[in-house]
Amino acid sequence: MTRFEVGVGDRVLAVQVSGAADGRPVFLLHGTPGSGSGPRPRSSVLYRQGIRLISYDRPGYGGSTRLPNRRVVDAAADVRAIADGMDIKRFALVGRSGGGPHALACAAVLPHRVDRAAVLVGLAPWDAADLNWYEGMADQNASKHIAADQGTVEMMHDLRALAEQTAADPKSLLEELRTQMSAPDLRFMQSVLYRRLLVKSYAEALRDGPYGWLDDILAFRRDWGFALDTIVPPVRLWHGAHDTFSPASHSRWLAQRIPRSEVHVQHDAAHFGAMEVLPRILTWLAA
């Protein structure tokens, strides 16, 4: 794995690259909270698939400089800067959980460079018409988004405390999430490997404070800065039917608004099943 920084104005983005150096470029956009060091297929698997997997810490997470008041659409400029710095003309993207809206932003704003995009357990816009946004969402997760509607002070206080606790003991966040999980996710968390990868990602994401997490949630509650019906590249949406963090109804809603999209809801999976399905999605993205 190669790590480096890319400058964007007066900011830096922390980037990680793994897999085949001459492989098909695919950007992996991490969840909320998360970092570019989050779970991914082993390099040997990526080599066999012929994929060059590129990930980065969104602003405010890990080693990337914060971008105050950022919007979802701002991810497109960051991905473009990384691609330009690596001399990559065309690429595919996959966004997992909170990375999903950011992947859609790139597909909308960079249609001449994005060949395909995938969203795993993603979110719909907060003001989505004819969608009960919170239905099926665990109360603790919903409360963070509700706090963003009511104002930032309460949310910043609660998330700051949670981020500080996570930075001191990354396993504590995973234990809190367990209380909100459905049966498929609880079975998934029996994997020592995946637990270790998630803990590592949380520790890296929040090492310098809660701002990436705060800015993500606030960005989801603002106008995303692009229209879903302007997305040109093919989009594949995947969701676990028993997801209690971002309900499957969000992906179904998105599929009705995004041209050239298809959706698959897996009935024996939930939120963290997105990590297991990723290799199959990468095969489609590299086609």
Side-chain angles (χ1 to χ4, degrees):
M1 182 180 294
T2 303
R3 302 169 186 265
F4 56 91
E5 292 183 346
V6 170
V8 184
D10 58 353
R11 298 184 291 118
V12 297
L13 297 170
V15 182
Q16 299 187 26
V17 182
S18 56
D22 59 348
R24 172 88 162 93
V26 178
F27 280 82
L28 171 61
L29 307 188
H30 66 75
T32 302
S35 67
S37 64
R40 73 192 63 209
R42 296 179 185 274
S43 288
S44 58
V45 174
L46 296 171
Y47 273 107
R48 288 196 298 271
Q49 292 182 297
I51 289 173
R52 186 185 189 188
L53 194 64
I54 306 157
S55 59
Y56 72 101
D57 301 343
R58 269 196 301 282
Y61 285 115
S64 292
T65 313
R66 186 187 185 195
L67 176 61
N69 301 312
R70 66 175 164 87
R71 296 190 299 163
V72 170
V73 72
D74 293 330
D78 287 347
V79 167
R80 178 170 51 204
I82 295 169
D84 288 348
M86 298 176 67
D87 197 27
I88 295 172
K89 304 302 181 186
R90 298 189 67 86
F91 49 86
L93 305 111
V94 53
R96 185 165 53 204
S97 188
H102 297 89
L104 293 176
C106 296
V109 176
L110 306 172
H112 56 296
R113 301 187 69 168
V114 176
D115 292 320
R116 291 184 170 192
V119 175
L120 312 181
V121 297
L123 291 166
W126 69 276
D127 58 351
D130 304 318
L131 174 68
N132 187 334
W133 208 86
Y134 298 106
E135 185 176 9
M137 188 179 292
D139 290 343
Q140 297 95 319
N141 193 49
S143 66
K144 297 181 179 66
H145 296 283
I146 292 171
D149 289 338
Q150 296 172 343
T152 62
V153 176
E154 177 186 348
M155 184 185 70
M156 287 186 68
H157 179 271
D158 291 346
L159 269 186
R160 186 188 298 275
L162 183 57
E164 289 174 352
Q165 175 184 324
T166 302
D169 179 14
K171 293 181 181 179
S172 65
L173 179 57
L174 198 56
E175 292 307 312
E176 175 170 324
L177 293 176
R178 278 177 183 267
T179 67
Q180 308 171 45
M181 291 179 184
S182 60
D185 274 344
L186 289 171
R187 287 195 298 271
F188 180 82
M189 285 303 158
Q190 294 176 6
S191 167
V192 175
L193 172 61
Y194 280 123
R195 290 202 307 270
R196 185 183 302 125
L197 291 172
L198 285 168
V199 167
K200 176 183 176 183
S201 179
Y202 296 152
E204 175 66 17
L206 303 173
R207 69 183 192 187
D208 291 329
Y211 297 106
W213 197 352
L214 287 165
D215 292 340
D216 262 2
I217 291 179
L218 290 171
F220 297 147
R221 311 305 291 180
R222 300 187 183 111
D223 182 276
W224 286 5
F226 64 95
L228 294 169
D229 61 7
T230 65
I231 295 175
V232 174
V235 176
R236 179 166 290 187
L237 302 146
W238 181 94
H239 225 114
H242 302 282
D243 192 336
T244 56
F245 297 95
S246 54
S249 56
H250 287 231
S251 281
R252 292 190 181 100
W253 187 93
L254 288 168
Q256 294 174 359
R257 274 92 181 160
I258 300 173
R260 304 181 68 192
S261 67
E262 58 183 82
V263 60
H264 175 65
V265 177
Q266 187 169 324
H267 294 289
D268 60 349
H271 192 76
F272 290 93
M275 289 186 278
E276 288 185 315
V277 78
L278 181 57
R280 190 164 78 240
I281 295 296
L282 289 174
T283 297
W284 177 77
L285 288 170

